[in-house]
Amino acid sequence: MRGCGFLALAVLMLLLGGCGAPTTSERNEGAAADHGGVQLLAGASSTIVSPAPGAFIAGDARNRRFTGEHDPLFARAVVVSDGASAVALVTVDNIGLVHPDIDAIRRRAAELAAALAPHTGLPAERIVVSSTHSHSGPDVVGLWGADELTSGRDPVYMARLIESTAQQVAAAAAMLRPVTMRVASGEPSLDWVHNVTEPGLLDREMTVAQFVDGNGTTVATLTNFACHPTVMDAVSDQISSDYVAGFYRMMGEVLPGEHLFLQGAIGGWVQPDKTGRSFALADRYGADVARAALSLLAQAEQESDPGIRFASRQFDIPLHNPGFAALLDAGVVQRPRYDGAIRTESAWFAIGETQFVTHPGETSPAYSLQSRARMSARHSFVLGLGLDALGYILKPDYFAADASYPSREYLTATSVGPEAAPRLMRTLEALIPR
């Protein structure tokens, strides 16, 4: 993306983001319910969702196409139920699925789950989809086509991606079995992670959850950590999940089950050290993340009363980015406008005492830290690019005329605007119980 002009950058932000105006809809189910003595159930499934060679590559400059595959891209799903209600967590290896596509996945997944596992009771709004944000995946937004006015999205691939991802949710729901949930969190020493615009401003927290069945077999793990998977951005034409592939490899070597990497707050601009860029370096970084996760799991504590609570809300963000508007007008990016605003969504939910929030884009670590403080939980997950990919969600002072942050012009050009972060945080303040 760095090689793109202002219009492309603005489009990226708009495609990947949609900040909004006032609250337009809200769902809050069982947020105060008492789930004493419940039996937790979990199931998991995954599939490969790599595009064919020739697909447009998302990230950096336009008009780049894949010539092959280094490692496959996955859609991975975990469904968790407390017997009375359920929630699904889904992660897909790509740069970022936008809200309309996520809604299509949720609707189809709920339909399939109702047919395949009718007793699960999994409504569409409780299916939480996020993206790992690999810059070595296909253009799922439209911004990286042959030129500024040509979308790089392949509608045939997108239809397959939506269907395949939805199928994993239904398959996971059909495989529910009794589990215990173990959780740990900490700040591993991963010195290759940097905030290149505000050094020192990082959310270093890693949170890991493990679901183990009655035989002691791991059904799934969830690992939440924040860093762009961009070791190979702009230097490779091979399909890859970047360092996330190394994470998958090492986790799979040590534990059975599905292993979900849940991206964190990477906005404004949390990047890996790219000195000596190579797939070997990306693999090493991924193995570092996996080792840190496994080390935390060695000291994990069991959720003793793992009932599920859930709340979500749609909200609108005024569209102040003229580049985004131009892309929408040209049909390069396709998502509806609501009285000049972009509609998005955030969710808060809890499994026992472990809490989760979603951020609909690449948020500044400042807002991840604020979200964790608001939850005030021993263990918490902040899911970046969760339920939407709105681009950068920055601190409002990035937009001041005299701001001097490195890469400020690029970051603000790929942002919905200065109201995105305040509206997100007001929404989360309303969702998160006190």
Side-chain angles (χ1 to χ4, degrees), residues 91-178:
T91 184
V92 187
D93 294 325
N94 59 38
I95 199 160
L97 292 170
V98 295
H99 193 256
D101 292 326
I102 287 175
D103 260 357
I105 292 170
R106 297 160 94 186
R107 290 192 300 269
R108 180 59 174 154
E111 177 184 19
L112 291 171
L116 195 60
H119 301 299
T120 305
L122 181 63
E125 60 266 24
R126 285 179 170 232
I127 299 170
V128 178
V129 183
S130 63
S131 304
T132 59
H133 197 63
S134 171
H135 280 220
S136 295
D139 182 0
V140 295
V141 178
L143 293 172
W144 295 276
D147 55 54
E148 288 185 354
L149 296 178
T150 305
S151 174
R153 274 170 58 109
D154 177 354
V156 174
Y157 172 77
M158 291 304 301
R160 177 169 69 87
L161 176 66
I162 289 167
E163 181 69 15
S164 296
T165 304
Q167 288 174 356
Q168 303 322 300
V169 177
M175 292 188 285
L176 288 176
R177 58 189 186 269

Side-chain angles (χ1 to χ4, degrees), residues 252-267:
E253 289 175 355
V254 177
L255 293 174
E258 297 294 344
H259 305 291
L260 277 64
F261 179 83
L262 301 171
Q263 187 58 265
I266 56 175

Side-chain angles (χ1 to χ4, degrees), residues 35-234:
H35 294 277
V38 302
Q39 171 62 67
L40 199 66
L41 310 169
S45 184
S46 70
T47 192
I48 293 173
V49 292
S50 300
F56 284 107
I57 304 171
D60 199 71
R62 294 188 197 86
N63 198 26
R64 299 186 304 126
R65 295 178 183 265
F66 290 115
T67 62
E69 178 178 281
H70 179 268
D71 55 86
L73 308 180
F74 289 91
R76 301 175 184 265
V78 175
V79 174
V80 184
S81 171
D82 64 7
S85 60
V87 63
L89 290 95
V90 185
T91 184
V92 187
D93 294 325
N94 59 38
I95 199 160
L97 292 170
V98 295
H99 193 256
D101 292 326
I102 287 175
D103 260 357
I105 292 170
R106 297 160 94 186
R107 290 192 300 269
R108 180 59 174 154
E111 177 184 19
L112 291 171
L116 195 60
H119 301 299
T120 305
L122 181 63
E125 60 266 24
R126 285 179 170 232
I127 299 170
V128 178
V129 183
S130 63
S131 304
T132 59
H133 197 63
S134 171
H135 280 220
S136 295
D139 182 0
V140 295
V141 178
L143 293 172
W144 295 276
D147 55 54
E148 288 185 354
L149 296 178
T150 305
S151 174
R153 274 170 58 109
D154 177 354
V156 174
Y157 172 77
M158 291 304 301
R160 177 169 69 87
L161 176 66
I162 289 167
E163 181 69 15
S164 296
T165 304
Q167 288 174 356
Q168 303 322 300
V169 177
M175 292 188 285
L176 288 176
R177 58 189 186 269
V179 295
T180 56
M181 178 181 179
R182 303 173 64 247
V183 191
S185 54
E187 296 188 358
S189 179
L190 298 175
D191 58 6
W192 46 267
V193 180
H194 308 285
N195 186 330
V196 299
T197 58
E198 294 185 75
L201 179 58
L202 290 167
D203 182 357
R204 298 183 179 276
E205 190 84 355
M206 175 183 286
T207 307
V208 188
Q210 180 184 31
F211 300 95
V212 182
D213 70 13
N215 297 319
T217 301
T218 298
V219 175
T221 65
L222 312 173
T223 300
N224 182 209
F225 183 68
C227 184
H228 268 81
T230 51
V231 176
M232 300 305 292
D233 181 30

Side-chain angles (χ1 to χ4, degrees), residues 322-396:
F324 192 153
L327 290 170
L328 292 172
D329 291 340
V332 176
V333 175
Q334 297 183 0
R335 62 185 298 162
R337 278 176 279 192
Y338 299 85
D339 295 327
I342 299 298
R343 184 161 297 168
T344 189
E345 183 176 355
S346 286
W348 168 88
F349 57 102
I351 305 174
E353 297 303 313
T354 301
Q355 298 187 35
F356 301 72
V357 293
T358 67
H359 286 186
E362 300 166 67
T363 38
S364 165
Y367 300 113
S368 181
L369 297 170
Q370 288 181 27
S371 295
R372 293 191 197 277
R374 178 77 182 183
M375 287 186 283
S376 189
R378 181 174 175 81
H379 304 296
S380 59
F381 287 72
V382 177
L383 309 184
L385 298 107
L387 297 179
D388 206 347
L390 296 180
Y392 287 108
I393 299 177
L394 305 166
K395 296 190 297 185

